[in-house]
Amino acid sequence: MTLKEKMQFAFNQSKKIIIMSFFTLNVGIMVVDGLPDQSKLGERFMSFVKRYQALVMLYQPWAMFAPNPMNTNAFIEADLKFDDGSTGVWKMPRPLNINGPRKVLTGDRYRLLGQETLLPNQNELVWFDVSRFVTREVMQAESTGKNRILKEISFKRYQSRVAPPPEAPLIPHGTLSSKYDIETIFVYTPTFERIRHEATNNRQ
């Protein structure tokens, strides 16, 4: 066997090893993470790969499946109040409104954030982080626009429950919700100071 043939053989073997390793790792994560009960070995394996799993979003909540699948569509928007009395609306990106590679990479993350994380009276630290993010984003836009000062952010949750048959007629896949219950669930007052912030996380 010539040197060229040996290198080609080694290259082909390396490709097989890489493909099999990738396949085994990903299938292993899905199988172990999907088990109702994990052994100590399974828990140790999942703790080892958790950063990779989060990066590639290689997980699936049991709530997606029977017997009690999720039946609520929800997303977050925010009403903005400025120092001159004017108002505006900040809209969180949603998979519905994202296109291209960004939809694949971030669409489901925004869905999880708006539907399962930003809930009333829960995850207060996440609410503060999102509020600061919105403040920075709005003020950056204002610095090249009307130069208004943001005085208050009122986050609203839009929620639509999809009733299963026979409670309601079957809705074809891909049909968008048209009616939402709207609830103000978090109010944030930017102070533009380094430490002090004021907010309420109560149902209004």
Side-chain angles (χ1 to χ4, degrees), residues 49-59 104-106 109:
V49 299
K50 63 182 181 181
R51 289 186 179 276
Y52 170 76
Q53 183 186 25
L55 177 66
V56 298
M57 298 194 70
L58 195 62
Y59 58 86
V104 177
L105 296 173
T106 66
R109 296 177 188 269

Side-chain angles (χ1 to χ4, degrees), residues 141-159:
E142 288 298 315
S143 67
T144 57
K146 299 179 180 179
N147 285 308
R148 297 172 296 180
I149 302 298
L150 184 61
K151 302 299 290 184
E152 184 179 271
I153 306 173
S154 298
F155 289 94
K156 291 184 175 180
R157 179 179 173 86
Y158 290 72
Q159 180 171 296

Side-chain angles (χ1 to χ4, degrees), residues 71-133:
N71 61 357
T72 299
N73 293 322
F75 62 93
I76 299 295
E77 289 187 0
D79 291 335
L80 311 175
K81 293 182 181 180
F82 296 92
D83 60 340
D84 63 356
S86 60
T87 60
V89 176
W90 177 85
K91 296 186 178 183
M92 179 181 291
R94 300 169 57 197
L96 180 67
N97 303 321
I98 303 175
N99 298 312
R102 185 166 175 248
K103 182 171 185 175
V104 177
L105 296 173
T106 66
D108 199 52
R109 296 177 188 269
Y110 282 117
R111 182 191 66 78
L112 290 171
L113 178 63
Q115 182 162 310
E116 301 180 24
T117 304
L118 295 177
L119 301 173
N121 303 311
Q122 296 185 37
N123 304 316
E124 187 173 79
L125 293 179
V126 180
W127 275 110
F128 274 108
D129 285 342
V130 172
S131 299
R132 295 183 185 111
F133 169 77

Side-chain angles (χ1 to χ4, degrees), residues 4 29 37-38 41 53-54 79 140 146 180:
K4 183 178 180 181
I29 290 174
D37 298 307
Q38 290 183 4
L41 181 61
Q53 183 186 25
D79 291 335
Q140 184 176 3
K146 299 179 180 179
Y180 289 91

